[in-house]
Amino acid sequence: MKKPKKDFWGLLGGMSFLSSLMAIAVGLLVGFIILLISNPQQALLGFKAILLGGVSDMKNVGQVLYNATPIIMTGLSVGFANKTGLFNIGGPGQFIVGAYAAIYVGVNWTFLPGALHWMAALLAALLAGALWGLLPGLLKAYRNVNEVISCIMMNYIGMYLVNLLVRSTVYNQLKNESKAVAASATLPKMGLDKIFVAGASASSVNSSIFIAILAGIVVYVIVSKTRFGYELKACGFNSDASRYAGINEKRGVVASMMIAGALSGLGGALLYLGGAGKYISVVDTLAAEGFNGIPVALLGLNHPIGIIFAGIFIAYLTVGGFNMQLYDFVPQVIEIITAVIIYFSAFSLLLRGFLQQRRLRREEAALTAASAGGKEEEA
Amino acid sequence: MNTLYFLVQQTMFFSIPLLIVALGGMFSERSGVVNIALEGIMIFGGFSGVLFINVAQNVWGMHGQGILLLALLAAAATGVIVSLAHAYAAINMKADQVISGTAINMLAPAFAIYVAREIRTVQQIPFTNEFRIESVPVLGKIPVLGGLLFQNTYITTYLGFLILAAAWVVLYQTKFGLRLRACGEHPQAADSVGVNVYRMRYAGVMLSGALGGIGGLVFVIPTSTEFNASVAGYGFLALAVLIFGQWKPWRILFAAFFFGLMKTIASAYSGIPLLAGLGIPSNIYKMVPYVVTLVVLAFTSKNSQAPRASGVPYDKGSR
């Protein structure tokens, strides 16, 4: 009996990876058609800018990493909750309360020396985000409230609460936004601004990308290498079976939502402490980075390492979109492409099933052929 | 008394779109398909409706209430087309309904901005609001009631009530409604007696598309003079109204008015002497509908009346 092969294909998640690629291909194709419709002469140049803009110079490479950071975090958040069978659409709320907590600490706690200051700010964001994930988790576990609805509610509550708090605690009245954080609360550049430059203009990339990647690795270890992660996954597959096996599935739901919230909250801190002139504007708009975690997690197949790459990919498209504007195209083309990619990745289940069935049938055929051959030898 | 009139009139502007869209969501969910794409469908509806009004007013030189009625039809048609994308993913492809809904929500504002900038170079589409009715003939003269319901109003307000009545009749008094509800509760049972589950679910989603599109336009007309690729989260709020209303038409009416009143207070509390004196920041009022929804959900979800099969793809072959 041959051992089942665990090859490169299997490492990539096999069929799922293929279906993600197909969704991306369809998305890009739609994008190209839109460019063709709006301006046929410039379409090829614009499309080239989307495809290659992210690597056109070192500054843009840095911008890709900078843009990837927050959506990797929210993507990890969505992906982690998904392991427990929960759909965390509460990213925008968790993200913004995390950002606010970080800014509050960054502006006010100037008594903290040096690096301790930004670490405290990150910790505050982590806790605030966890709190914002805790409530939907508790409601889901103990009151049977659908987490999608409660997360949507928490998004708006978080947004209005942060607007209220920014105005009353860290308000820059002139610009209707939050104040700048102290220099000691700004995340270190770690020389990245020296590497990722084009001429005199440096990119906004900073150490936050390392924190995001580290978070991805931590999530990977928790999910794949610990008993806790195993229990969470078991709840996601079949909560009745895991309860029967002695797993406290209510606690799992609460913990999963808290960790997911903490990841999004940390993402908010990483964006607003990046020292790139980002401030919370007091407007009634949900944080887009929170929602963008959903496509990132979907494309990354809910796998932490996949999510890091998916985040970089979406950021790559975004930076390509900025470059595309040189040819007078509207930047929303990128959002349309992303939306199409998500729509078709929703189909991936069917495609995956179809491909898997074909493979199974082939393997079965091979097996019956092999066993038939074996019998002949015996005889 | 004038404050009361003002309050009721404003509440109508906020409540009616919520009512219409939540009723749309009701049809979809009671047929068994969760429609989280309502926000996106509203944006599509508002966009096409306002674009139609803009073109009718400026290019064709049309005037009067007739434009609004035609624009409502355009919005409904757009909503139906968009909802078909959701229906196809949810029903034929058996995809995760939340994901395809999210995709539509992402697509809608991007599409609206893209098209607006392609044809007008700016993303806002303005229109002249000539649809406000100062006072309905005869009815507006009724003391008290006239001031509350028939002054400073829009035909869309009455359309909202008409849709409510129609929705109740369709859902509870027709064969179609009974079959639709069966598909949302127990599609296998419905199928076993010869109801085409796929077709009923398509009907439910398309109804939600039509009402969502209409709701988008109904939201924009009284509250703005331009469309800027957003309906301010009203689609998500309508989802909350739907759940708050426990998937039942008359309760949805109550929930929509409660949310509408809260929204009105949040935006106009400084004009109400009693509330302005309290000095509570507007953000608190803005939060209230969401907090209340959470609290209500916490107490009602244990024995929620959600359609049993809502959100579950129907597979003929499964047991």
Side-chain angles (χ1 to χ4, degrees):
Chain A
M1 187 67 195
K2 222 169 48 177
K3 238 178 36 180
K5 262 194 308 190
K6 179 90 177 175
D7 51 3
F8 180 65
W9 188 236
L11 273 178
L12 281 174
M15 304 304 171
S16 330
F17 181 70
L18 188 70
S19 58
S20 276
L21 278 188
M22 284 180 84
I24 290 171
V26 176
L28 288 174
L29 184 69
V30 170
F32 184 58
I33 293 171
I34 289 172
L35 294 186
L36 267 180
I37 294 170
S38 33
N39 187 349
Q41 276 94 37
Q42 302 270 58
L44 268 176
L45 285 171
F47 196 59
K48 199 180 143 206
I50 295 178
L51 288 184
L52 300 174
V55 286
S56 55
D57 59 35
M58 280 313 271
K59 186 194 171 188
N60 279 334
V61 176
Q63 286 306 101
V64 169
L65 297 177
Y66 171 73
N67 280 298
T69 307
I71 56 178
I72 288 176
M73 293 308 301
T74 49
L76 287 171
S77 168
V78 174
F80 189 85
N82 202 283
K83 289 282 177 204
T84 324
L86 298 165
F87 189 76
N88 178 23
I89 199 174
Q94 297 150 7
F95 186 86
I96 206 69
V97 296
Y100 168 75
I103 287 175
Y104 179 82
V105 171
V107 170
N108 291 322
W109 291 14
T110 42
F111 55 85
L112 287 167
L116 221 54
H117 193 182
W118 61 260
M119 286 176 191
L122 291 188
L123 192 66
L126 214 65
L127 292 176
L131 180 70
W132 232 245
L134 170 69
L135 204 63
L138 286 174
L139 286 174
K140 170 82 181 182
Y142 297 101
R143 309 296 317 182
N144 191 29
V145 178
N146 184 333
E147 80 279 8
V148 173
I149 297 300
S150 59
C151 278
I152 289 173
M153 298 299 123
M154 292 299 283
N155 283 344
Y156 286 98
I157 298 172
M159 173 182 81
Y160 290 125
L161 184 69
V162 166
N163 282 348
L164 181 73
L165 289 174
V166 165
R167 286 184 75 112
S168 57
T169 56
V170 288
Y171 194 39
N172 176 353
Q173 200 160 9
L174 276 172
K175 292 189 166 166
N176 191 32
E177 62 189 20
S178 62
K179 282 187 206 160
V181 296
S184 55
T186 307
L187 296 167
K189 289 271 184 196
M190 292 178 75
L192 289 173
D193 53 338
K194 302 283 189 301
I195 303 170
F196 297 107
V197 288
S201 75
S203 89
S204 313
V205 68
N206 54 68
S207 56
S208 62
I209 182 69
F210 295 130
I211 299 175
I213 291 173
L214 189 71
I217 296 169
V218 170
V219 167
Y220 173 74
V221 171
I222 293 179
V223 170
S224 306
K225 306 286 175 202
T226 66
R227 182 187 155 158
F228 173 65
Y230 180 79
E231 290 186 353
L232 290 186
K233 273 190 292 187
C235 297
F237 279 125
N238 189 336
S239 66
D240 294 326
S242 22
R243 188 169 52 234
Y244 187 68
I247 298 171
N248 186 342
E249 101 281 12
K250 288 190 194 307
R251 211 185 52 196
V253 165
V254 176
S256 176
M257 279 308 291
M258 266 181 83
I259 293 173
L263 287 166
S264 282
L266 185 60
L270 292 183
L271 179 64
Y272 286 93
L273 297 182
K278 281 289 277 183
Y279 310 100
I280 299 180
S281 322
V282 181
V283 287
D284 290 358
T285 316
L286 292 174
E289 292 85 358
F291 281 128
N292 288 340
I294 299 169
V296 170
L298 284 173
L299 275 185
L301 305 169
N302 292 322
H303 188 288
I305 309 301
I307 286 167
I308 293 174
F309 285 107
I312 292 173
F313 172 73
I314 299 276
Y316 184 84
L317 283 187
T318 312
V319 172
F322 287 132
N323 283 31
M324 176 196 68
Q325 284 174 268
L326 285 178
Y327 305 102
D328 266 347
F329 288 112
V330 187
Q332 273 72 28
V333 172
I334 298 298
E335 283 164 48
I336 295 177
I337 293 176
T338 320
V340 172
I341 292 176
I342 310 180
Y343 184 73
F344 282 97
S345 64
F347 290 5
S348 67
L349 199 70
L350 199 83
L351 182 72
R352 217 177 299 164
F354 173 72
L355 290 173
Q356 237 154 22
Q357 238 167 25
R358 260 186 48 173
R359 199 165 76 156
L360 271 178
R361 222 173 293 146
R362 226 173 332 149
E363 278 172 2
E364 243 167 57
L367 263 176
T368 42
S371 67
K375 269 176 199 152
E376 269 168 34
E377 272 168 35
E378 273 169 32
Chain B
M1 208 59 200
N2 278 331
T3 314
L4 182 69
Y5 289 157
F6 171 76
L7 207 61
V8 172
Q9 288 160 3
Q10 287 291 315
T11 304
M12 288 291 177
F13 300 158
F14 288 113
S15 306
I16 294 297
L18 284 178
L19 171 70
I20 296 175
V21 179
L23 286 171
M26 178 188 77
F27 278 112
S28 176
E29 296 220 350
R30 295 210 80 162
S31 79
V33 180
V34 169
N35 195 349
I36 203 173
L38 287 172
E39 173 87 4
I41 293 174
M42 277 183 83
I43 292 176
F44 270 110
F47 171 75
S48 65
V50 171
L51 188 64
F52 179 86
I53 294 174
N54 179 296
V55 171
Q57 283 174 334
N58 298 321
V59 182
W60 303 333
M62 284 166 66
H63 289 288
Q65 299 284 350
I67 307 177
L68 182 56
L69 291 175
L70 289 175
L72 285 167
L73 282 180
T78 314
V80 169
I81 293 168
V82 176
S83 73
L84 282 175
H86 182 57
Y88 181 70
I91 301 166
N92 296 75
M93 302 301 277
K94 304 187 175 53
D96 187 327
Q97 299 171 5
V98 178
I99 294 174
S100 71
T102 308
I104 291 171
N105 287 338
M106 262 188 103
L107 179 68
F111 180 83
I113 292 173
Y114 167 77
V115 176
R117 284 184 50 173
E118 279 299 316
I119 53 182
R120 304 183 24 92
T121 67
V122 290
Q123 68 182 53
Q124 291 87 357
I125 305 172
F127 62 94
T128 315
N129 188 348
E130 51 182 301
F131 312 116
R132 202 174 76 93
I133 301 168
E134 192 60 50
S135 177
V136 179
V138 189
L139 293 172
K141 298 261 169 19
I142 305 171
V144 189
L145 213 59
L148 286 174
L149 297 174
F150 299 109
Q151 284 173 17
N152 182 23
T153 181
Y154 289 83
I155 43 171
T156 52
T157 301
Y158 310 113
L159 179 71
F161 287 109
L162 203 69
I163 289 175
L164 172 70
W168 179 79
V169 170
V170 168
L171 200 61
Y172 292 111
Q173 307 294 319
T174 65
K175 230 190 302 189
F176 171 80
L178 182 67
R179 289 177 177 171
L180 188 89
R181 284 181 287 143
C183 291
E185 290 294 337
H186 201 315
Q188 282 80 6
D191 200 355
S192 73
V193 290
V195 176
N196 187 332
V197 177
Y198 295 136
R199 200 185 294 162
M200 293 313 289
R201 288 193 166 180
Y202 258 96
V205 176
M206 284 163 76
L207 275 171
S208 81
L211 295 181
I214 290 174
L217 184 60
V218 169
F219 168 69
V220 178
I221 294 294
T223 52
S224 180
T225 54
E226 61 178 26
F227 184 73
N228 193 4
S230 160
V231 290
Y234 263 61
F236 288 128
L237 204 55
L239 270 184
V241 166
L242 172 65
I243 295 168
F244 200 114
Q246 290 284 303
W247 297 267
K248 292 190 173 77
W250 298 105
R251 289 203 197 181
I252 288 173
L253 175 75
F254 168 77
F257 271 86
F258 172 74
F259 277 50
L261 182 65
M262 282 299 154
K263 280 271 166 190
T264 306
I265 291 174
S267 67
Y269 74 104
S270 56
I272 304 164
L274 188 73
L275 295 173
L278 290 174
I280 298 170
S282 68
N283 279 313
I284 299 275
Y285 291 112
K286 287 181 185 169
M287 258 185 266
V288 168
Y290 305 101
V291 175
V292 171
T293 308
L294 271 187
V295 173
V296 170
L297 286 177
F299 285 103
T300 57
S301 291
K302 275 271 157 157
N303 44 10
S304 155
Q305 315 219 15
R308 281 269 158 72
S310 185
V312 185
Y314 177 59
D315 185 353
K316 252 184 193 259
S318 78
R319 278 168 294 167

